[in-house]
Amino acid sequence: AQAAARQERRVGIVLQRQPETEAPALDDLHPVGTEAAILRYLTTPDGTHHVVARGERRFRIKELLPGFPHLVARVEYLEPAISDRPPQAAEASRDPAIEARMLQLKERVAEILQLLPQAPAELVATAQAISDPGQLCDFVSGLMDLEPAVKQELLEILDLRQRLDEVLTHLAHRIQVLKLSNEIGQQTGQRMTERQREMLLREQLQTIQKELGDEAGNEAEIDALREAVDKAGMPEAVLAHAKKELKRLAQMPDSAAEYASLRTYLD
């Protein structure tokens, strides 16, 4: 990457089969990679290296060449570079099946970005402006949170219709996951709100009972009833109902009109 940045050359980016391999040989690399232009190469004060690159086209490794200080390979290109591709809109005809898949892909990109409030709004406009179906596939694949092995599988699919179908499938799955996640979050938030309200009301009730001098007046009685309920050997359904009524009694000031009747009922 340093040499390419200095010489304004392209680099080949490939995925290792085992990331921990320090000196990969040909068999340690996936055969299909991406030619990329180095846009920026940065070294931070702590010695970390950062590379900003732009993918240009796919290639397949034919062989590794010896005698270089870094990996060098002879490759065959599997598609033209982005700058060399003809504008799709100027083509005389286009496969309707590809058109339909592109439309679906753009609609789902807009849908998934609505489910991600932190996503930049410009991404939707960028996706909508892409007219090359292969470039659209690659753009969306790069945005998705997919395992590297899955992204490698997408990279190796050369048939455009198949690649579009695979990206659509992954995108539909992510949308479903995000929808379920949002629903769970809303339900959890609602339960938390109800629980917080209940806790606040209980605190207010305790304060009122304390002010009225009822705070400790029925605690011993409630404890005695709770112990009696636990020892009574009730059937499960009856026990559940008794505990529910006991909980209601414990939250009720003994000056309440219903207190005496509920106390007698439980007894």
Side-chain angles (χ1 to χ4, degrees), residues 13 19 31 46 55 73 79 84 113 115 166 172 185 198 200 203 229 231 235 246:
I13 299 177
D46 64 356
E79 60 186 350
D84 297 331
L113 291 178
L115 297 170
E166 288 294 325
E198 182 181 347
L200 178 61
E203 290 176 2
V229 166
K231 292 181 178 180
L246 181 61

Side-chain angles (χ1 to χ4, degrees), residues 9-14 26 29-31 59-66 68 70-77:
R9 300 281 299 276
R10 298 291 193 266
V11 293
I13 299 177
V14 293
L26 183 60
L29 304 174
H30 285 276
F59 65 79
R60 179 178 285 108
I61 298 175
K62 301 297 289 184
E63 62 176 330
L64 295 183
L65 303 179
F68 293 89
H70 45 71
L71 284 179
V72 175
R74 180 175 288 112
V75 303
E76 63 171 337
Y77 291 108

Side-chain angles (χ1 to χ4, degrees), residues 75-93:
V75 303
E76 63 171 337
Y77 291 108
L78 305 176
E79 60 186 350
I82 291 177
S83 58
D84 297 331
R85 298 177 194 175
Q88 293 294 318
E91 291 184 354
S93 62

Side-chain angles (χ1 to χ4, degrees), residues 46-64:
D46 64 356
T48 305
H49 300 269
H50 300 272
V51 176
V52 180
R54 180 185 62 233
E56 297 286 347
R57 54 180 166 178
R58 288 165 169 76
F59 65 79
R60 179 178 285 108
I61 298 175
K62 301 297 289 184
E63 62 176 330
L64 295 183

Side-chain angles (χ1 to χ4, degrees), residues 52-241:
V52 180
R54 180 185 62 233
E56 297 286 347
R57 54 180 166 178
R58 288 165 169 76
F59 65 79
R60 179 178 285 108
I61 298 175
K62 301 297 289 184
E63 62 176 330
L64 295 183
L65 303 179
F68 293 89
H70 45 71
L71 284 179
V72 175
R74 180 175 288 112
V75 303
E76 63 171 337
Y77 291 108
L78 305 176
E79 60 186 350
I82 291 177
S83 58
D84 297 331
R85 298 177 194 175
Q88 293 294 318
E91 291 184 354
S93 62
R94 184 188 288 171
D95 185 350
I98 299 295
E99 286 271 19
R101 286 164 171 79
M102 282 189 68
L103 180 62
Q104 277 287 312
L105 192 51
K106 290 183 177 183
E107 289 178 353
R108 290 184 178 177
V109 167
E111 182 179 0
I112 197 171
L113 291 178
Q114 288 179 351
L115 297 170
L116 296 169
Q118 72 277 16
E122 297 80 8
L123 289 177
V124 176
T126 301
Q128 295 295 330
I130 297 175
S131 60
D132 184 294
Q135 188 178 350
L136 180 63
C137 269
D138 296 338
F139 176 75
V140 176
S141 301
L143 294 179
M144 283 192 289
D145 183 20
L146 300 173
E147 293 291 331
V150 176
K151 289 190 175 184
Q152 180 67 34
E153 290 176 2
L154 292 173
L155 186 71
E156 295 182 8
I157 298 175
L158 301 182
D159 182 84
L160 191 53
R161 187 182 301 188
Q162 182 184 354
R163 197 192 316 163
L164 281 163
D165 285 340
E166 288 294 325
V167 173
L168 280 168
T169 298
H170 288 295
L171 194 55
H173 174 72
R174 295 305 302 168
I175 289 173
Q176 187 65 26
V177 170
L178 286 171
K179 284 182 176 179
L180 289 174
S181 177
N182 288 346
E183 289 177 8
I184 292 170
Q186 291 173 0
Q187 293 170 1
T188 303
Q190 184 178 359
R191 287 197 297 268
M192 285 296 295
T193 302
E194 292 174 352
R195 189 175 297 112
Q196 290 168 353
R197 179 175 178 273
E198 182 181 347
M199 290 176 62
L200 178 61
L201 290 174
R202 286 182 180 178
E203 290 176 2
Q204 292 174 341
L205 179 59
Q206 290 173 359
T207 302
I208 294 171
Q209 289 175 341
K210 182 178 181 181
E211 292 296 326
L212 295 174
D214 295 335
E215 181 182 25
N218 61 354
E219 285 186 3
E221 192 173 34
I222 296 298
D223 288 341
L225 276 172
R226 185 176 290 110
E227 184 178 355
V229 166
D230 290 337
K231 292 181 178 180
M234 303 176 187
E236 185 175 348
V238 180
L239 178 62
H241 180 68

